[in-house]
């Protein structure tokens, strides 16, 4: 009898471990789309003219037309060759993946637009809050990003290269690091 109880307890424990492993696997997979890439993630528009559609097919109506190549968008869902994206203003829709690029760009504090002429995002010589300010970017200015440390991003705007605080841009997640 004692042996049967031990075997039952062991089987129960193994079942719990397997259920936990399955839950961990499911959680890890939930962070990736069918492409195997993370969701959400930032990309840019590859073309000067990109249709934003109401559904994931060329048969769906166009709800918006983007006219700015390199504009950052956030992929929030994937379906076949279509990506559901969100822009800095919160507008969402579907774009064919062929019109998206893995290049990174960002927008300076779009949430601060219209808050006054004295509101800027400082671009600094080095990735430190005490470093020399080399440019003052108005909210809404687009920049190309070369790398991010998790706190700072090396960016180029209008030919000027410097570091901007990652918390002051839309186009890189807080704590995200890449080169």
């Amino acid at each position: 009898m004692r042996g049967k109880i031990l075997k039952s307890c062991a089987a129960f424990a193994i079942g719990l471990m397997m259920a936990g492993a399955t839950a961990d696997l499911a959680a890890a997979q939930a962070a990736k789309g069918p492409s195997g890439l993370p969701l959400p993630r930032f990309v840019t528009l590859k073309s000067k003219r990109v249709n934003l559609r109401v559904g994931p097919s060329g048969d769906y109506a166009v709800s918006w037309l983007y006219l700015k190549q390199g504009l950052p968008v956030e992929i929030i869902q994937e379906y076949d060759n279509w990506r559901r994206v969100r822009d800095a203003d919160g507008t969402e829709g579907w774009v064919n993946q062929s019109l998206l690029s893995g290049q990174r760009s960002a927008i300076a504090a779009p949430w601060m637009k219209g808050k006054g002429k004295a509101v800027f995002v400082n671009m600094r010589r080095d990735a430190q809050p005490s470093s020399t300010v080399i440019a003052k970017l108005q909210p809404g200015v687009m920049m190309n990003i070369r790398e991010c440390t998790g706190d700072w991003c090396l960016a180029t705007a209008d030919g000027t290269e410097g570091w901007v605080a990652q918390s002051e841009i839309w186009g890189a997640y807080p704590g995200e690091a890449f080169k």
Side-chain angles (χ1 to χ4, degrees), residues 89-101:
D89 295 326
T91 302
E92 293 183 12
W94 293 88
V95 173
N96 190 285
Q97 72 175 3
S98 66
L99 298 171
L100 300 172
S101 167

Side-chain angles (χ1 to χ4, degrees), residues 90-122:
T91 302
E92 293 183 12
W94 293 88
V95 173
N96 190 285
Q97 72 175 3
S98 66
L99 298 171
L100 300 172
S101 167
Q103 296 290 325
R104 297 294 291 267
S105 68
I107 298 175
W111 55 89
M112 297 299 289
K113 279 185 191 175
K115 300 286 183 182
K117 295 192 181 282
V119 177
F120 296 100
V121 171
N122 290 325

